[in-house]
Amino acid sequence: MTRTFAIGFALLALAVVGCGGDDDSGGGGGAGGGGDKEAKLAFVYPTTTTNFAQEMALGAKAAADDTPGVKLTESAPANVDGPKQVQLFQAAVRSSPDGVAMMTLTPELFIRPLQQAGQDGVPLVAIDVPAPAGTEDAVKLLIGNSNVEIGNDLAKALLPDIPEDAKGDIMIGTDTPGLPVLEQRNQGFMDVMKKERPGVKFIVFDAKQSPTDNFNTWSAQVKAHPDAIAYVGPGSQAAVSLSRIQRATGQKLLVGACDLDKVAMQGVKDGLVKALISPEHWLKGYLGIKLMADAKLEGKDLPEGMWNSGALEVNKDNIDEILARQENAQSRSDYFKDEVEKQLSSPDQYLGPMPGA
Amino acid sequence: MGASLVNRRVLEIESGSVLIATIALIVFIGILHPDFLEIGQLKDIVQNATYVGIIAAGMAFLISMREIDLSVGSMFGLALVVSALFMQHGMNPWLAALLGVLLGGAMGLLNAILVQFIAIPAIVATLATLSMYRGLSQALSGGEQVTGLPAESSFFTFFGGDEIIGLPVSVWVMIVVTVVLTAVLRLTPYGYRVRAIGSNPAAATFSGISIPRVRVQTLVLVGLLSGLSGMLGLAFFISGDPNIGTGFELQVIAAAIIGGTPLRGGSATVVGAVLGAILLSAVNSGLAYFDVPVNWSNFATGAVILAAVALDSVIRGRRRYRRTGLDL
């Protein structure tokens, strides 16, 4: 009986793994589209359960689908787990020697693995977060945004709703304190707000990452500071939690945040969220894989420097268009088609020096 | 006949079944993806297993006493962060690493004191210290990565990058820990006491064994191993992430149990615990070679672990039948 049970589990596992085990199958994308060349590429990202990472992964997959000959492997821990992501990265470097794109929330853990991959000659692209110091020889391309500008944009989006002589607090809930991209957004937000509305003060707190913790933290902060001028998050979860709080309590808050979570977008549509600044993560994932694929399959040089792929303010004026865009993978591809062509045809407009260079 | 004899011998060595399950898993993945069998990949698997493996070796002692320490991941993280901070402020890395190991022992001692003086089960005390130690890591580091460490120091190059006879130094550390702890468990009075307590606490007490004393010793041992593991992690990652080690506790316990240390206590296998960690590491690396849809990757990880454990169970079953003369 035990043996039958055990063998049953073994078969189950073989089936699960085997569903993607064949080189010609699975979600890799454009293989089989013709041509002799093949590019084995990988995208390694920090978590499968957060909106920004999912968007990047969808973009990477779309690039593979659009490019015959690309065999893409995507991998990520379910939750943010730096050492586990390092292990996935190391495996990706071996299974995908033609290039690995990587987004991580724990860049400092990758110093040695990135150096090793660089020494092995594997092309590397950092997505969104700069590679750590000491890996400049290995990672020469970063595709990201100016996060200070994203913070600036968020502040400008809220300014019309804040009187010039306003005095009071703006609550800023950071879901990953210390993460440079979020700190830079906060800085950009505060820079503009201090200049334009000198009477406001900022209360910055740890809003927690997980949806439940984030909701509980924001609920407590809203109760403790019911008269704050605005409630802001540099990440994706704040607008989700604050939409739910407004629905549950009937309060009307001035809310701004970043990224494009579905609940947050519905909040914009329903007037619960003033604006979301989208760092257009899909585009970054797409460009990272596409540029590596072109380098391998067409012999193009992989660009060097920081490729600023831009950001988008989502508000009541364009929310319907963005909701339609975010419907599924195909709708995203259709929306970004022109933008992708525009950026790839004139890279010099988007390329600049690496941060800190 | 000869092959049968070898097969039987392999089954009879300590943790032979988990060894076979691990090899079978690696070979299976290697057949589908030959790249997986490259020496570099196999080294990565074992090297990545060292952090969990070393702690699991100590956890096997604790589980064999019917106790569990849930704070191991946080002890790993706090020892790593504190040593990184020492180094960042100019302390000699070797000295800072030694202090990190000792800090691990001190955290284990605090766990033991809580268990003894508040008279609560270790699982409850360490559930609290899991949060306390993690919180300290975050508070001391200001919630940020501790960077700017002297990566050129011999501590980082030796433990983080160098190889001896083709294996990373950290793997040799794990091997030494495994050999020493196996000897301690099998050949010393302390090891006998650990197993005796788990086998029958009442009988152990009756025979004069001090359960509190052995529990303190074992919790300190687990703390020291967590600190040691943290120093190997620091040497490899060259930075102090305040969240590093989160979730290690379940991996460590899983490694020990997969390796053959039963939750009912009374017996333990250090070799098995380390092999269990290598098996888990092989699953993590192996799945990167497959196009498992990302939202199914956690399910696939669990299913593969179940398959490997099921194979281990079949092999153990065969061994039990052989021992009782009821060959399959």
Side-chain angles (χ1 to χ4, degrees):
Chain A
M1 184 64 186
T2 304
R3 189 163 63 166
T4 307
F5 185 65
I7 291 169
F9 267 125
L11 290 172
L12 170 67
L14 295 182
V16 168
V17 173
C19 71
D22 191 320
D23 278 354
D24 296 328
S25 68
D36 297 332
K37 287 187 178 176
E38 183 183 64
K40 285 186 174 179
L41 305 176
F43 179 48
V44 183
Y45 56 106
T47 165
T48 60
T49 52
T50 306
N51 171 265
F52 74 87
Q54 292 165 341
E55 288 289 325
M56 289 178 192
L58 282 170
K61 172 90 167 48
D65 289 342
D66 286 352
T67 315
V70 170
K71 169 79 173 65
L72 177 70
T73 303
E74 293 186 319
S75 52
N79 299 307
V80 176
D81 181 343
K84 190 169 180 182
Q85 195 190 358
V86 166
Q87 189 173 1
L88 292 173
F89 173 81
Q90 289 176 312
V93 165
R94 299 189 187 283
S95 64
S96 306
D98 298 324
V100 178
M102 181 196 70
M103 192 276 167
T104 180
L105 297 175
T106 53
E108 302 300 338
L109 300 184
F110 282 79
I111 296 173
R112 205 181 293 278
L114 285 170
Q115 288 171 338
Q116 185 61 50
Q119 287 166 13
D120 292 345
V122 178
L124 301 167
V125 175
I127 306 288
D128 210 33
V129 176
T135 61
E136 294 82 1
D137 291 340
V139 188
K140 294 179 178 171
L141 175 61
L142 163 68
I143 299 174
N145 311 96
S146 163
N147 286 292
V148 174
E149 283 175 16
I150 287 177
N152 293 161
D153 292 346
L154 184 57
K156 288 171 188 168
L158 300 190
L159 279 175
D161 287 39
I162 303 175
E164 287 187 13
D165 59 349
K167 291 190 189 308
D169 298 326
I170 292 184
M171 310 300 299
I172 302 178
T174 305
D175 47 26
T176 314
L179 184 68
V181 295
L182 299 186
E183 299 295 344
Q184 288 160 11
R185 289 178 194 174
N186 285 345
Q187 194 56 52
F189 178 86
M190 290 191 282
D191 287 348
V192 169
M193 204 50 87
K194 274 180 199 163
K195 186 179 170 193
E196 301 294 331
R197 300 292 184 268
V200 302
K201 292 178 182 169
F202 305 99
I203 297 178
V204 184
F205 60 94
D206 178 1
K208 314 290 183 191
Q209 269 188 1
S210 81
T212 47
D213 288 344
N214 189 276
F215 178 83
N216 292 337
T217 305
W218 269 115
S219 293
Q221 291 289 352
V222 170
K223 285 191 180 85
H225 304 275
D227 301 321
I229 293 171
Y231 303 81
V232 173
S236 61
Q237 204 59 38
V240 176
S241 298
L242 289 162
S243 292
R244 288 179 174 144
I245 289 167
Q246 289 179 84
R247 284 200 177 91
T249 63
Q251 286 175 283
K252 183 76 183 91
L253 309 173
L254 178 59
V255 174
C258 298
D259 295 326
L260 294 180
D261 188 281
K262 276 187 178 176
V263 177
M265 287 192 294
Q266 192 58 46
V268 175
K269 186 165 174 65
D270 296 344
L272 304 172
V273 177
K274 172 73 177 174
L276 298 170
I277 306 299
S278 167
E280 303 296 71
H281 295 303
W282 188 99
L283 203 48
K284 288 180 267 191
Y286 189 102
L287 291 169
I289 295 302
K290 182 65 178 167
L291 290 168
M292 286 196 298
D294 288 349
K296 169 67 179 176
L297 299 173
E298 298 180 20
K300 293 180 180 175
D301 289 335
L302 193 61
E304 295 185 6
M306 179 179 165
W307 186 301
N308 186 341
S309 54
L312 174 74
E313 180 185 332
V314 178
N315 53 36
K316 62 181 171 49
D317 296 331
N318 62 355
I319 184 63
D320 288 330
E321 184 186 15
I322 299 304
L323 278 170
R325 169 187 110 180
Q326 298 296 111
E327 194 65 35
N328 55 45
Q330 187 58 48
S331 58
R332 287 173 172 84
S333 291
D334 293 342
Y335 177 95
F336 281 111
K337 189 169 184 294
D338 293 342
E339 182 63 25
V340 164
E341 284 176 7
K342 184 177 141 198
Q343 294 206 13
L344 289 175
S345 63
S346 50
D348 291 345
Q349 283 188 19
Y350 300 92
L351 272 171
M354 280 285 203
Chain B
M1 183 70 182
S4 170
L5 185 63
V6 170
N7 187 26
R8 190 164 301 190
R9 287 275 158 80
V10 169
L11 287 175
E12 286 171 357
I13 64 172
E14 181 173 293
S15 308
S17 54
V18 70
L19 176 64
I20 292 170
T22 305
I23 291 172
L25 175 69
I26 291 172
V27 168
F28 169 66
I29 298 171
I31 289 169
L32 295 176
H33 291 273
D35 294 354
F36 188 71
L37 297 179
E38 283 181 8
I39 292 296
Q41 176 60 76
L42 298 178
K43 277 186 200 173
D44 283 349
I45 289 170
V46 182
Q47 199 268 331
N48 282 312
T50 54
Y51 317 121
V52 168
I54 287 173
I55 307 174
M59 187 67 84
F61 279 62
L62 211 48
I63 292 175
S64 75
M65 293 176 61
R66 305 187 192 180
E67 302 277 8
I68 278 179
D69 184 340
L70 291 179
S71 68
V72 287
S74 297
M75 289 196 285
F76 171 93
L78 182 56
L80 189 156
V81 164
V82 168
S83 290
L85 286 167
F86 283 149
M87 293 178 196
Q88 192 186 46
H89 286 82
M91 185 182 281
N92 179 295
W94 289 95
L95 178 59
L98 177 63
L99 291 176
V101 176
L102 294 176
L103 174 62
M107 286 187 277
L109 181 61
L110 177 60
N111 284 342
I113 290 169
L114 290 172
V115 170
Q116 289 306 124
F117 286 87
I118 306 181
I120 51 177
I123 192 170
V124 177
T126 56
L127 181 63
T129 54
L130 173 156
S131 186
M132 287 168 57
Y133 297 152
R134 179 64 60 198
L136 266 178
S137 298
Q138 290 163 341
L140 292 174
S141 65
E144 297 181 9
Q145 300 261 348
V146 181
T147 57
L149 307 184
E152 70 287 350
S153 157
S154 56
F155 167 75
F156 289 100
T157 53
F158 182 68
F159 283 114
D162 285 355
E163 293 190 351
I164 297 175
I165 322 177
L167 284 178
V169 172
S170 59
V171 174
W172 284 111
V173 172
M174 182 170 70
I175 291 169
V176 169
V177 166
T178 306
V179 171
V180 170
L181 289 186
T182 298
V184 168
L185 185 68
R186 300 280 172 230
L187 305 176
T188 67
Y190 165 69
Y192 166 76
R193 291 185 199 115
V194 165
R195 286 178 286 136
I197 290 169
S199 183
N200 188 332
T205 304
F206 187 72
S207 62
I209 295 173
S210 167
I211 293 178
R213 185 175 175 182
V214 176
R215 189 189 290 130
V216 168
Q217 290 169 336
T218 310
L219 284 166
V220 171
L221 172 68
V222 172
L224 285 168
L225 291 170
S226 300
L228 173 64
S229 181
M231 294 312 100
L232 295 179
L234 179 58
F236 182 77
F237 293 119
I238 326 178
S239 67
D241 180 344
N243 294 313
I244 199 167
T246 303
F248 266 25
E249 50 281 352
L250 287 182
Q251 293 182 52
V252 166
I253 293 165
I257 294 169
I258 288 170
T261 300
L263 275 172
R264 68 173 181 276
S267 68
T269 155
V270 174
V271 176
V274 171
L275 287 172
I278 293 173
L279 188 151
L280 293 174
S281 179
V283 171
N284 283 338
S285 289
L287 282 177
Y289 282 76
F290 295 88
D291 292 328
V292 177
V294 287
N295 290 328
W296 285 88
S297 60
N298 250 12
F299 178 85
T301 302
V304 173
I305 291 170
L306 269 177
V309 174
L311 177 61
D312 173 57
S313 169
V314 168
I315 296 168
R316 281 177 206 278
R318 285 175 68 91
R319 186 166 55 182
R320 269 198 303 274
Y321 276 113
R322 283 212 170 98
R323 280 181 180 162
T324 54
L326 297 169
D327 209 339
L328 288 173

